[in-house]
Amino acid sequence: MIVASPQYLAKHGSPSTIAELEGHNCLGFNFRRSVSSWPMRDGGRVTEQPVTGNFLGNSGEAVRRMAVRGAGLARIGLFHAIEDIRAGRLMRILEDVSPPETEEVFAVHTGGQTMAPRLRALLDFVLPRMRASLAAQ
């Protein structure tokens, strides 16, 4: 989803069309596989909209923090933004043209009688949060 702080939107305005993204500071990621565009729904099909900004973060948390501080628009996952949205620190924008996206996560158990404690701890931590995130959508 695309989010921004109320302070950023008050100062720079809220884009109401895909084309208006061009005039905004779009916070991005510096992962090797990241791209400088955001998928957007345009006339029934999904296209890649080029975006630019002055910040590239190495995690969703870093990009979220910059967005909360009013640095620009961010395209981050619901699980990163849900608490800030509920608290009014971030607002969703361009919902009608921002397609949902999923990313697969795998936890591998190779068999045997017992599961590795670190995998069990990961699953015990992640699963309730993922379920809550999905229920909030």
Side-chain angles (χ1 to χ4, degrees):
M1 72 182 63
I2 301 173
V3 296
S5 72
Q7 297 83 1
Y8 177 88
L9 296 174
K11 184 174 181 179
H12 301 282
S14 181
S16 58
T17 67
I18 297 170
E20 290 177 10
L21 283 174
E22 189 174 322
H24 287 274
N25 190 40
C26 297
L27 310 173
F29 291 94
N30 63 356
F31 304 132
R32 185 183 336 197
R33 65 183 180 96
S34 69
V35 293
S36 57
S37 63
W38 291 349
M40 303 300 284
R41 211 178 282 120
D42 186 14
R45 63 187 180 103
V46 176
T47 62
E48 292 293 323
Q49 175 66 33
V51 294
T52 59
N54 63 4
F55 178 81
L56 297 175
N58 65 357
S59 70
E61 179 64 15
V63 174
R64 181 200 68 81
R65 287 179 183 215
M66 292 299 287
V68 167
R69 287 175 175 78
L73 307 178
R75 185 171 180 278
I76 56 178
L78 176 64
F79 67 96
H80 281 297
I82 190 68
E83 291 304 318
D84 293 310
I85 291 169
R86 288 180 180 151
R89 293 183 294 265
L90 289 175
M91 298 175 64
R92 292 178 78 162
I93 59 170
L94 294 172
E95 290 181 68
D96 57 330
V97 294
S98 181
E101 193 173 0
T102 60
E103 189 165 329
E104 295 177 339
V105 176
F106 298 93
V108 178
H109 173 54
T110 58
Q113 293 290 332
T114 59
M115 184 180 294
R118 65 179 177 258
L119 180 55
R120 177 80 269 152
L122 171 69
L123 293 175
D124 290 345
F125 178 80
V126 170
L127 287 176
R129 285 161 179 78
M130 292 177 79
R131 287 185 184 115
S133 176
L134 291 173
Q137 294 182 17

